[in-house]
Amino acid sequence: MTARNIDGNALAAQVREELARRAAELTAAGVQPCLAVILVGEDPASAVYVRNKVAACEKAGFRSLRFAFPADVAPEVVFGKLAELNADASVHGILVQLPLPPQFDADQVLEAISPEKDVDGFHAENFGLLLQGRKSFYPCTPWGVMKMLDSENVPIKGAEAVVIGRSNIVGKPMAVMLLARGATVTVCHSQTKDLAFHTRRADIVVAAVGRANFLTGDMIKPGAVVIDVGINRGADGKLCGDVDFASAREVASLITPVPGGVGPMTITMLLANTVESAQRALDARRSV
Ligand code: NAD
């Protein structure tokens, strides 16, 4: 079997078109969706991510604000900016690009973003709501993965799903979202004894490890759906995922490529959360 690719670029373009339409409607009603992005330091990868987010916002007709601080900025300066943005009713989403320099406690920074504007979905309040199956801002990467599975009508209810990785931004929320949709979920991580034992039983495997070509075809059940969240540089310097694409595609039924898979969907869901936040702001304004 040779797997079919799930095309993240095509799906992202389709969803972004709809979001741009909604943004235009909100703008016409007096609430232009606005995302504020904070970048601290000169990490080149972070700078690229921020540039892509700002460009995606502008293309979809959002207002975007970008605040860059030097790596040695005092934490109070960033907390001051967050307080200002929290209080600004014209701002609907606030994002602090991670990682942060060592003088910052990342959890403390994420907690300083108002949960109503936490469009990354990283605030403990939103994560708690997600765990309880209540309305929240979903973390963008796992939400993007769910959209990809749904775009292909992958059966989730009753499926055996294995998530590799247990980070707060990908692995854990991914597991919670699959569980909420009725999958039987196993979360594997760096201490898992026999990873292949688990992955070989899985109808859906999500790899979020951060190691090039980590999940190989012999670890995958024939016909499984393989989602590759990883972003790595291979030995040849090229961008690659956590999945050994060449061997995995010979076994899987559906697979996401890197690049052009989960990545474009992550930014798309950030736009979706920002539109949702702007919609809530408009609804609140209309109800007074
Ligand atoms: P992380 O480093 O926080 O977590 C990695 C996880 O992998 C850990 O939970 C760890 O337990 C697990 N792990 C490590 N070694 C393992 C092993 N030998 N066996 C099983 N599990 C093991 O990383 P993260 O932030 O969750 O990101 C994971 C990957 O996804 C990275 O490559 C990152 O760049 C990428 N990522 C991509 C997107 C996107 O939009 N596509 C978004 C976020 C992260």
Side-chain angles (χ1 to χ4, degrees), residues 49 141 164-167 169-171 188-190 195 208-211 214 229-232 242 262-263 266:
Y49 290 144
T141 300
I164 318 173
R166 56 172 165 176
S167 71
I169 64 171
V170 189
C188 296
H189 46 79
S190 54
L195 179 65
V209 183
R211 284 209 201 174
F214 179 74
V229 177
I231 302 177
N232 313 292
D242 290 343
V262 176
T266 294

Side-chain angles (χ1 to χ4, degrees), residues 76-131:
E76 307 80 70
V77 175
V78 173
F79 284 112
K81 177 54 75 181
L82 287 174
E84 195 185 297
L85 294 169
N86 282 339
D88 183 342
S90 74
V91 173
H92 307 105
I94 304 170
L95 176 159
V96 178
Q97 185 64 45
L98 300 176
L100 288 165
Q103 72 271 29
F104 287 91
D105 174 341
D107 288 337
Q108 220 179 355
V109 173
L110 297 177
E111 300 297 291
I113 298 171
S114 160
E116 284 82 41
K117 299 188 181 189
D118 168 41
V119 286
D120 253 341
F122 294 163
H123 193 288
E125 185 173 317
N126 282 317
F127 195 67
L129 290 169
L130 172 68
L131 261 178

